[in-house]
Amino acid sequence: MKLKEVVYYAKLLHKQNLVSSTDGNLSIRRDDGFVITPTSIPKRELKVEDLVNLDKNGKQLKNRKPSSEVNLHLEIYKRRKDVNGIVHAHPPFTIALSLIVDSLEEFPLSETIITLGKVKIAPFKMPGSIELAKEVAKVLGEGRAVILKNHGAVTVGGSLQSAYYRMESLEHSSKILFLSKLLGKPSSFTKKQILELNKISNNYGLK
Ligand code: 13P
């Protein structure tokens, strides 16, 4: 079932325009390690047999080449015992915003704060590098989503389903913020309102 789930959400990422071509990668934690999408295969065409099994140290157990971002997934699983699913995608509105601002920590949208909390932007590092993996895991911290400047975004969850829907929420929120920036200067919340929204966040949505 878990393997079919990886393929299902990989295809959904493409269908929802969160990736194009071979972009993006997904993984799911297992008791003995994790399963990740292979490198350079279009998510739209992914099959269960393409998936790659890795042990807890990221060592490959099958004769297939894992995603070039395997270290990014590994670093997050090492730091976050509560994370069981990770999604890396290239959502267009989110990336567009990351090109013009250095921080999107507090989206001025109630549901975004409730669903995603703080969303930090990690500085640019080379795709596939260990530097990117370490930086993203560090900037993500205890968060649910992190934007990779000039590159994409990573979302995490207690399940792959929750990590996937957090990516959808991030892009939906970025689209609204993008459109409002075209119209003028978006309004924002007070610090007190943000604190109250964060409180609701603890008891709401997918974990
Ligand atoms: P992979 O095909 O190696 O997973 O790379 C896709 C990607 O988005 C790299 O950032």
Side-chain angles (χ1 to χ4, degrees):
M1 177 54 200
K2 279 196 166 182
L3 298 184
K4 281 192 185 155
E5 205 184 326
V6 179
V7 172
Y8 173 78
Y9 287 114
K11 290 188 174 177
L12 203 52
L13 272 184
H14 182 268
K15 196 169 172 209
Q16 298 294 79
N17 293 322
L18 296 165
V19 294
S20 70
S21 179
T22 64
D23 291 353
N25 29 77
L26 303 85
S27 70
I28 199 161
R29 197 200 284 272
R30 287 163 74 132
D31 292 343
D32 52 350
F34 61 104
V35 174
I36 193 163
T37 47
T39 189
S40 309
I41 291 202
K43 300 299 160 295
R44 192 182 180 180
E45 295 174 23
L46 194 71
K47 297 192 264 323
V48 165
E49 52 273 30
D50 296 327
L51 297 174
V52 185
N53 278 295
L54 300 165
D55 72 10
K56 285 188 172 131
N57 301 313
K59 195 168 159 289
Q60 202 174 325
L61 305 176
K62 244 166 84 176
N63 192 23
R64 281 181 207 283
K65 208 167 169 218
S67 167
S68 55
E69 301 292 7
V70 65
N71 285 315
L72 186 152
H73 293 248
L74 188 61
E75 284 297 317
I76 295 173
Y77 285 127
K78 273 201 231 158
R79 287 173 77 122
R80 291 280 300 271
K81 299 299 169 213
D82 60 315
V83 166
N84 294 311
I86 300 175
V87 173
H88 166 50
H90 295 174
F93 284 94
T94 306
I95 300 179
L97 285 175
S98 90
L99 300 181
I100 56 158
V101 299
D102 285 321
S103 170
L104 279 171
E105 286 208 10
E106 246 74 70
F107 273 91
L109 299 163
S110 56
E111 297 311 299
T112 315
I113 297 179
I114 293 171
T115 310
L116 298 176
K118 280 191 175 158
V119 184
K120 296 187 178 166
I121 302 182
F124 179 79
K125 303 279 175 201
M126 278 299 152
S129 65
I130 191 74
E131 290 78 17
L132 177 73
K134 289 197 181 298
E135 190 68 34
V136 169
K138 190 179 90 187
V139 177
L140 173 69
E142 294 304 306
R144 301 173 186 171
V146 56
I147 297 169
L148 284 50
K149 202 165 174 61
N150 301 73
H151 181 168
V154 170
T155 49
V156 300
S159 65
L160 184 60
Q161 181 200 37
S162 121
Y164 169 79
Y165 283 110
R166 285 174 179 170
M167 186 61 76
E168 259 199 24
S169 297
L170 176 64
E171 179 62 350
H172 189 73
S173 308
S174 296
K175 195 170 182 178
I176 295 169
L177 187 57
F178 184 100
L179 292 172
S180 72
K181 279 178 182 281
L182 290 182
L183 296 173
K185 191 176 179 304
S187 62
S188 56
F189 292 121
T190 63
K191 282 205 165 84
K192 186 167 174 275
Q193 285 170 326
I194 291 172
L195 277 176
E196 281 174 25
L197 288 165
N198 279 323
K199 273 191 211 151
I200 303 174
S201 165
N202 296 333
N203 303 311
Y204 182 86
L206 293 164
K207 296 291 162 210

